[in-house]
Amino acid sequence: MSKHDFLSSSVAQELLAGQDWCPFMPVFGPPAVMFARGQGTELWDINDKRYLDFLCGIAVTSLGHSNKAVARALSHQAETLLHVSNFFSNPVATEAAMLINGLMRLAGAGEGQVFFCNSGAEANEAAIKLARKFGGRGRHVVVSALGSFHGRTLGALAATGQPAKHEPFHPMPEGFRHVPYGDVDALVAALDPTVAAVLLEPIQGEGGVIPAPEGYLESVAAVCRERGLLFMVDEVQTGFARTGQWFGFEHAGVSPDVVMFAKALGNGMPVGALWARRDVASVFSPGDHGSTYSGTAIATAAVIAVINEMMAIDAPARAREAEAWIRSELADCEHITHIRGQGLLLGLVLAPEFDSKAVYTQLLDAGLVTNAVNADTIRVAPPLTVSHAEVVEACSIVKKILSALAASATNRTPL
Ligand SMILES: *Cc1c(COP(=O)(O)O)cnc(C)c1O
């Protein structure tokens, strides 16, 4: 085998053929499919089988695969300027930050400033440091919710309210406290003079697509304001039109002090951002935080393209419209007890006899990409550009698979 052959798709073929070696560390389960290309809502695997992508790389490719505007911006930027470091500036990052500030101002959050990073976890890490500097010595605790997800780096993991994810890595960094999501009294009870900030998702995405209960974010925002605590909202999964508003917090009409973004921000280009109101951001001084790639031109070119394109198509309205299509197509499906979530971040809650893992596998086989976000819930997060025909096709796959699984379960039951 020549070197060239080895590096070509034969590697992929061998992997799929069940070779027992893998070039990746075993932190992810065995990959179910190897995808080769995508266009809009569609994906094709290396055998050219077509799929509808109703997961979007976990709410990342919100404008669809191979989006023209994003692709053009990236290829233009790749031939113009990739990176210069933060000893200098570049017009691309500047424009991207101004666009984010503008959207946040329109959302009622006030005047703010942006720190660019490369992922959701990094945005949360930066927020945790900002909270600690804001609070000052002895007032450093971040209170977050049980069932939350804030990322995999140590600080973000410590903020994540899932003890099972902490278990292998103790001791966790100090200064984090968790309270039940949706319980204002429990949150108030957890506050003491060591607390600097409260950190919440508007909808717990990884936790199972659990929306904040009515009035919860409003009450938390009021408590934070009364006590001088930072109200930090993790919009990594909900931000940028996914829920039918530009930002998840807008549904509650609150104005957070600090907001974190990533996922849809780059439509697949790795980029994250921390936004903070100007008076909060000003507690940082030069040297307090940084990243080699902060505001790198290639990543922020994607941010500009994403925001401009989302504005041009009125992405929040598209999410609301497609949500209505999905809810209406699945309304007559007896195997789905209800649908949680908002916009195009939805959790299909299956009747108790179903195992979401098995359903996910069958859907994938049938050409529909989703995710079993917990034992009874299938997460669907199609691109905001999804067409009505694609929604109809995807929902008919869901109904067909659930009916088939229900029928085979019934057949096995002895009468
Ligand atoms: C995905 C996610 C993160 C982590 O983002 P990474 O880019 O994977 O580090 C953090 N917070 C929320 C709410 C997320 O959904």
Side-chain angles (χ1 to χ4, degrees), residues 119-122 124 149-152 201 206 234 236-237 262-263:
S119 68
E122 279 182 57
N124 280 305
F149 184 79
H150 300 293
R152 300 288 193 160
E201 295 159 273
E206 299 310 297
D234 184 343
V236 168
Q237 190 154 160
K263 294 200 164 100

Side-chain angles (χ1 to χ4, degrees), residues 129-216:
K129 284 178 70 177
L130 183 60
R132 287 187 174 202
K133 186 115 195 262
F134 174 88
R137 281 286 138 76
R139 187 166 167 248
H140 62 280
V141 170
V142 172
V143 178
S144 56
L146 288 166
S148 64
F149 184 79
H150 300 293
R152 300 288 193 160
T153 55
L154 267 180
L157 180 62
T160 292
Q162 301 187 42
K165 289 190 164 63
H166 295 175
E167 219 295 311
F169 305 108
H170 282 297
M172 282 290 111
E174 200 264 328
F176 296 88
R177 204 170 286 169
H178 300 100
V179 294
Y181 189 58
D183 184 340
V184 182
D185 295 337
L187 179 90
V188 170
L191 300 180
D192 64 26
T194 66
V195 174
V198 176
L199 166 60
L200 293 171
E201 295 159 273
I203 297 176
Q204 289 189 331
E206 299 310 297
V209 191
I210 316 284
E214 197 76 35
Y216 179 57

Side-chain angles (χ1 to χ4, degrees), residues 325-372:
W325 297 336
I326 293 175
R327 287 186 182 275
S328 131
E329 286 300 316
L330 294 178
D332 63 352
C333 181
E334 57 185 323
H335 306 303
I336 295 173
T337 64
H338 60 288
I339 299 179
R340 279 196 304 259
Q342 246 169 345
L344 291 179
L345 182 55
L346 298 174
L348 314 183
V349 185
L350 306 172
E353 63 268 29
F354 291 97
D355 165 23
S356 69
K357 274 259 157 43
V359 172
Y360 151 80
T361 306
Q362 296 274 319
L363 291 174
L364 192 63
D365 260 11
L368 180 64
V369 181
T370 62
N371 150 258

